[in-house]
Amino acid sequence: MYQKLFLILTTSLFSYSFCQENVSARNNGILVVEDLHLEQLESGKIHKLWLQLGENELSEPIKVPVLIAKGDGTPKVLGLTAAIHGNELNGIAIIHQFFSKIDVTKLKGTIIAIPGLNSLAVARNQREFLDRVDLNRILPGKPNGNGSEQMTYKIGEKIIPLFDYHVDLHTASFGRINSLYGRGDMKDETLASMLQVLEPDIIVSNRGKASFGSASGLTMRAFAISKGVKSVTMEYGNPQVYQKDMIERGVKGLKNLIIHLGLREGEIVTSTIDNICSKSYWIYTDKGGYLDVKVSLNQKLKKDELIAILRNSFGELIATYRAPEDGIVIGKSTNPVNISGGRIIHLGILEK
Ligand SMILES: [Zn+2]
């Protein structure tokens, strides 16, 4: 009987209000849906749903959590996605806290948030999907492809097209830390203003075109842009942790953003971000050893300034690394263990 009920409920949102109490025994009270039909959701409410993106080994839905704050009838939709890299968690807390503060009665339009997009990877404390593929490199995926390709195809079909505006929330990856920085095309007026009100320390201006060595696909941002969605990426600090300051700043930035986009009334108190980089790149070691990075996040560097030293297993100095040009430290390695080709710092080159 439960199974029958479950099937009925997963097929349509129409049953949502009618049967909500009955679902709780199976789904923590949250309905599992195949697709998000915004028009079927009541305005003036925050809705919680599980969106099915494929099936697991038990033939059960692979679920991702979806929060939808549905304001008045304005069709404008802001999308927030966190943890397409499963070990990047600050964005999850940012969405949770941001949603706890939304007054949906004053909202003009809709906010859709996915706090934990790569849910199978989140559960495993890992960046990539189960097949160890980076989902944020292979959009649009393939409907009949392998595991990660089918997953990204569903993200591209079921989620991204719902958005008019999009913020993809990330952090650094394992063994590295990031400043609070944003990526987007600063030549696009809408994207530039979105990045400014999100209040990062640094903005890296680029169009998000994919260029990932052997990987052939797009990032979620580049895919969203290709679909006409105004999309930016935000990097909030460090992997696999909740950082209070990053989370607070993230929530404040999103509050600014919804006012800026006209999703609610209010005043934005923000200062202009001056640290705008026209490009950025990683600097790598050429030898293996124990790496000691000497610079801090957001530190401005002069050409030839010392950035790191490398010692061998006996403590002898075997290499020193210097800034190849003037720049600013966007990210850095925190893991001393390096084979040759290890990352040292992510250097941003500030616009003149
Ligand atoms: Zn990431």
Side-chain angles (χ1 to χ4, degrees):
M1 142 63 180
Y2 270 136
Q3 196 175 16
K4 206 171 187 182
L5 179 63
F6 178 73
L7 284 172
I8 293 165
L9 290 168
T10 55
T11 53
S12 168
L13 267 177
F14 284 119
S15 325
Y16 180 43
S17 52
F18 177 68
C19 292
Q20 194 180 6
E21 277 177 23
N22 298 329
V23 190
S24 58
R26 291 189 66 91
N27 301 296
N28 295 324
I30 308 295
L31 190 62
V32 183
V33 296
E34 287 261 5
D35 293 289
L36 298 170
H37 294 288
L38 296 183
E39 74 283 0
Q40 293 173 3
L41 296 174
E42 201 178 327
S43 292
K45 279 194 170 170
I46 290 181
H47 302 268
K48 299 167 199 167
L49 297 166
W50 291 113
L51 176 64
Q52 178 173 357
L53 299 180
E55 288 188 1
N56 70 13
E57 73 284 1
L58 304 175
S59 314
E60 289 174 342
I62 298 170
K63 298 175 294 182
V64 297
V66 184
L67 283 161
I68 301 174
K70 188 162 184 204
D72 69 9
T74 315
K76 209 177 273 185
V77 177
L78 168 66
L80 308 172
T81 50
I84 190 170
H85 294 142
N87 61 346
E88 302 183 1
L89 307 180
N90 278 330
I92 292 175
I94 290 170
I95 288 173
H96 288 164
Q97 290 195 20
F98 176 60
F99 260 73
S100 75
K101 294 184 169 90
I102 291 176
D103 182 350
V104 75
T105 63
K106 293 187 174 142
L107 196 64
K108 301 170 199 305
T110 299
I111 304 170
I112 303 174
I114 306 196
L117 180 57
N118 192 352
S119 57
L120 297 179
V122 171
R124 287 159 180 79
N125 302 308
Q126 73 185 39
R127 173 186 172 90
E128 298 90 356
F129 194 63
L130 296 192
D131 54 12
R132 290 287 172 183
V133 171
D134 186 336
L135 296 184
N136 203 32
R137 301 287 186 271
I138 60 163
L139 271 94
K142 289 178 189 163
N144 301 312
N146 62 29
S148 50
E149 287 169 339
Q150 289 198 25
M151 175 57 67
T152 45
Y153 180 78
K154 290 184 175 78
I155 291 170
E157 287 289 302
K158 295 186 178 192
I159 297 171
I160 303 296
L162 301 173
F163 303 159
D164 297 302
Y165 306 94
H166 174 221
V167 184
D168 191 23
L169 292 81
H170 288 251
T171 74
S173 200
F174 171 75
R176 313 200 278 269
I177 56 175
N178 274 350
S179 64
L180 201 173
Y181 82 97
R183 287 198 298 270
D185 182 5
M186 291 298 280
K187 293 195 176 79
D188 180 303
E189 217 171 281
T190 305
L191 299 178
S193 62
M194 286 170 70
L195 286 167
Q196 285 281 354
V197 300
L198 286 163
E199 299 188 319
D201 294 320
I202 301 168
I203 296 170
V204 178
S205 181
N206 64 45
R207 296 175 64 194
K209 287 289 172 202
S211 169
F212 304 111
S214 58
S216 57
L218 300 175
T219 62
M220 194 155 51
R221 170 166 68 107
F223 176 81
I225 295 274
S226 78
K227 296 287 171 193
V229 180
K230 293 293 184 185
S231 177
V232 298
T233 299
M234 290 292 289
E235 298 275 350
Y236 293 99
N238 309 342
Q240 207 66 57
V241 287
Y242 273 0
Q243 289 168 278
K244 192 167 179 281
D245 59 327
M246 288 288 167
I247 294 162
E248 283 172 3
R249 291 182 62 193
V251 172
K252 180 169 184 289
L254 290 178
K255 280 187 191 167
N256 286 346
L257 183 66
I258 61 171
I259 294 169
H260 172 72
L261 295 176
L263 286 156
R264 69 156 296 162
E265 286 174 6
E267 255 180 66
I268 303 174
V269 184
T270 180
S271 48
T272 309
I273 314 303
D274 293 324
N275 292 329
I276 297 173
C277 299
S278 52
K279 64 172 182 172
S280 70
Y281 54 88
W282 278 91
I283 298 169
Y284 300 94
T285 63
D286 58 343
K287 294 184 166 78
Y290 295 93
L291 181 71
D292 185 1
V293 181
K294 299 292 190 185
V295 294
S296 309
L297 294 177
N298 296 324
Q299 185 178 335
K300 287 185 181 166
L301 301 178
K302 289 281 175 209
K303 184 177 185 321
D304 294 328
E305 202 169 327
L306 180 71
I307 54 174
I309 60 170
L310 197 68
R311 293 184 187 278
N312 65 16
S313 297
F314 307 98
E316 294 157 344
L317 187 68
I318 52 171
T320 57
Y321 296 95
R322 295 180 180 279
E325 57 184 315
D326 291 2
I328 186 166
V329 181
I330 297 173
K332 61 180 256 189
S333 170
T334 52
N335 181 4
V337 181
N338 274 269
I339 62 166
S340 47
R343 290 171 193 255
I344 305 173
I345 64 164
H346 181 194
L347 185 68
I349 308 305
L350 292 161
E351 279 180 356
K352 293 282 175 325

